Amino acid sequence: MKVQLEKISPQEIEKRSFEIITEELGDFPLIPGTEDIVKRCIHTSADFDYAQNLVFSRDAVEHACNAIKNGACIVTDTNMGKAGINKKVFSRYGGEIFCFMADWDVEERAKALGVTRAVASMDKAAELKQPLIFAIGNAPTALGRLYELIREGRLKPELVIGVPVGFVNVVQAKELIMETEVPYIVARGRKGGSNIAACICNALLYMLE
């Protein structure tokens, strides 16, 4: 039997993908107001575990959307995450997107202190004066450092997207963020990634459209 691909437009692919996701989720209970974020994470990963793994602090989505509308900036822990955020849409709200991982001063600080560049990049982000949303999809050390900076009163993010992927200190770092009083969206467990961090940012942006 010869396999043939269906001819379909890019717009129709996305539309039908979300229809399939909605159908397969069935009656699975999603928190009102978070459905678009959960479905976009599933769309990005083809992994329905995100319907159960994504955890939202109270009013996190509403708070994040208001922050974006008021010019909040986004800090990522990878250039891949930064590249995945829809800059055309984000630019309408006046914020900037930062990733300090490749900065020379971050590399020097990391070497001097014997820490990861992810940790040093969070220290640099703490010096910013703008309201900040952190989208962490790769480095649990970045998330752990964020927890410390929040506890020390040096940072009060508008939102922490805590979705690093991996095995070492990943679960623990996510659980620590959930102990803080800052708004968060966390993917509990080992799963996540820079693509998931970016797609959560995009889902928030598309909710504003």
Side-chain angles (χ1 to χ4, degrees):
M1 178 178 174
K2 187 177 180 180
V3 176
Q4 291 184 327
L5 293 178
E6 200 176 343
K7 291 184 179 180
I8 184 169
S9 69
Q11 295 81 6
E12 185 66 16
I13 289 173
E14 181 167 309
K15 178 176 178 291
R16 286 179 56 179
S17 294
F18 276 93
E19 288 172 351
I20 291 168
I21 290 166
T22 300
E23 181 181 350
E24 293 197 19
L25 280 171
D27 295 328
F28 188 88
L30 299 177
I31 301 169
T34 70
E35 298 93 340
D36 290 346
I37 296 171
V38 173
K39 289 179 182 180
R40 192 158 290 278
C41 287
I42 294 171
H43 179 252
T44 295
S45 63
D47 189 341
F48 279 82
D49 282 354
Y50 285 105
Q52 301 181 64
N53 295 349
L54 283 180
V55 183
F56 299 79
S57 65
R58 184 183 179 93
D59 299 325
V61 174
E62 181 181 2
H63 188 88
C65 287
N66 287 333
I68 291 170
K69 286 191 289 187
N70 290 321
C73 296
I74 297 175
V75 178
T76 70
D77 65 329
T78 64
N79 280 303
M80 177 183 172
K82 179 181 178 181
I85 298 171
N86 190 322
K87 295 167 187 63
K88 182 178 179 181
V89 176
F90 187 63
S91 65
R92 297 172 192 164
Y93 302 100
E96 296 181 73
I97 305 173
F98 299 101
C99 180
F100 300 126
M101 289 290 288
D103 291 5
W104 68 268
D105 55 333
V106 166
E107 184 177 359
E108 291 299 312
R109 180 181 178 85
K111 287 180 179 178
L113 297 178
V115 297
T116 66
R117 282 188 296 169
V119 167
S121 72
M122 295 300 104
D123 287 335
K124 184 169 182 175
E127 298 170 4
L128 297 172
K129 303 303 181 186
Q130 302 97 317
L132 299 175
I133 290 171
F134 286 86
I136 309 301
N138 181 70
T141 55
L143 208 57
R145 184 56 179 154
L146 271 182
Y147 169 77
E148 294 172 350
L149 291 167
I150 291 166
R151 290 296 297 267
E152 292 167 9
R154 294 175 55 192
L155 262 180
K156 191 175 182 182
E158 301 296 322
L159 176 72
V160 174
I161 298 170
V163 294
V165 60
F167 298 94
V168 179
N169 285 330
V170 171
V171 174
Q172 296 90 329
K174 293 173 179 178
E175 295 295 325
L176 285 174
I177 287 296
M178 293 171 61
E179 292 180 5
T180 70
E181 296 181 359
V182 303
Y184 61 77
I185 300 173
V186 166
R188 260 186 160 149
R190 295 172 171 176
K191 293 184 179 181
S194 296
N195 59 335
I196 296 297
C199 93
I200 292 173
C201 291
N202 287 335
L204 292 169
L205 291 173
Y206 301 153
M207 291 168 72
L208 296 173
E209 293 291 283

